[in-house]
Amino acid sequence: MTKSELIDAIAGRGELTKARAELVVNCIFDAMTEALQRGEGIEIRGFGSFTVRPYKPYSGRNPRTGQPVPVPAKRLPFFKVGKELKELVNQSRAFAITGGKDDEDDEDDEDDEDE
């Protein structure tokens, strides 16, 4: 789901215009981003939690030259899925798992060759 699809879903569920739903989504994302920038965690019961994890500096390698490259210390957001969401997603395993475009029927490819 993309951000615009989320805005459409929120506008469709409530009595909100798309512009108002976009404002709501942007406000939520801005508040979450600001909290993570301050190093605070975000916990949404049943959904999951966002935290900021610090990573120490280390020496990496340039894949082309093989030369060592220093990688500085950093802080990155981390999401841990909540128990209820994990169970809901796991219950949906009854649906077939598809791999995307590679799994599509070969018949379509054969038709393209005739053109």
Side-chain angles (χ1 to χ4, degrees):
M1 175 177 273
T2 63
K3 184 176 177 182
S4 61
E5 290 171 339
L6 178 61
I7 291 168
D8 291 342
I10 290 172
R13 284 194 177 193
E15 296 180 14
L16 293 174
T17 64
K18 278 180 132 179
R20 184 69 67 151
E22 182 177 9
L23 181 64
V24 169
V25 169
N26 287 335
C27 286
I28 292 170
F29 286 162
D30 289 345
M32 292 174 74
T33 302
E34 290 168 8
L36 291 172
Q37 284 176 328
R38 291 189 303 266
E40 298 173 6
I42 301 166
E43 185 176 326
I44 304 169
R45 300 271 180 200
F47 184 76
S49 60
F50 295 88
T51 56
V52 177
R53 286 194 174 176
Y55 291 89
K56 295 178 182 177
Y58 62 94
S59 180
R61 292 212 175 270
N62 181 328
R64 285 190 182 174
T65 64
Q67 296 285 44
V69 177
V71 179
K74 55 189 162 191
R75 297 174 354 137
L76 297 174
F78 178 79
F79 177 73
K80 182 178 178 186
V81 67
K83 182 180 175 185
E84 291 176 26
L85 179 60
K86 188 186 302 185
E87 290 172 356
L88 283 170
V89 170
N90 195 36
Q91 289 172 359
S92 68
R93 288 179 22 177
F95 300 111
I97 298 174
T98 60
K101 292 187 176 193
D102 292 340
D103 289 347
E104 290 180 4
D105 293 332
D106 291 334
E107 295 173 14
D108 294 338
D109 295 337
E110 293 171 7
D111 293 340
D112 293 340
E113 293 172 4
D114 296 336
E115 293 177 6

